[in-house]
Amino acid sequence: MLLLLLGIVVLHIAALVLLFVSTIVNAWTTGSTSSSDLWNNCSTIGGYHCDPANTGVWIQAVQALMILSIIFSFISLFLFFCQLFTLQKGGRFFLTGVFQILASLFVMSGAVIYTVMSPEWVPDSEAFGWAYIMAWAAFPLALISGLIYVILRKRE
């Protein structure tokens, strides 16, 4: 049982790290002379400089969803440790699982919005970067860990 709990915590922390890093770094779209993320658009043409990201409603929605996914995933981890010590034997980690599943849905929604709306302002010479891929990788990890929490029962 201890090994199972350790594995779930490692999976949860891996998803949380992926969410955190993908939200912060400047590599959602990359090109030979520029890169952009949820917060900045940087270019090396005429010297290295960064401008604030587009202030459109859709990019603000992606920013909010990514931040919400981090917050909900962190709350889920906190609830797991609280429930681990307070939940009665045989109880399910239902609340923890719900928060983690919501975090996964938030990151999926943010990535879908970014995928659909980015062709409007990303040049054809740029491609999706590794941070964008990390956000998509965090979605199934968070979803799987959330489902495991819902199914998991507390033993001794």
Side-chain angles (χ1 to χ4, degrees), residues 2 6 20 27 43 53 56 59 71-72 98 120 122 132 136 146:
L2 183 62
L6 183 64
F20 195 71
S43 177
I59 195 73
I71 291 170
F72 272 60
V98 167
E120 292 181 6
V122 175
Y132 170 80
W136 272 113

Side-chain angles (χ1 to χ4, degrees), residues 16-72:
L16 187 58
V17 167
L18 286 175
L19 288 172
F20 195 71
V21 170
S22 68
T23 302
I24 291 174
V25 298
N26 190 16
W28 276 62
T29 57
T30 57
S32 58
T33 59
S34 63
S35 64
S36 61
D37 66 351
L38 304 178
W39 316 103
N40 294 312
N41 297 325
C42 298
S43 177
T44 58
I45 298 174
Y48 188 80
H49 65 284
C50 292
D51 298 320
N54 183 357
T55 57
V57 174
W58 71 270
I59 195 73
Q60 291 176 352
V62 175
Q63 291 169 345
L65 287 166
M66 291 303 292
I67 290 171
L68 279 173
S69 69
I70 292 170
I71 291 170
F72 272 60

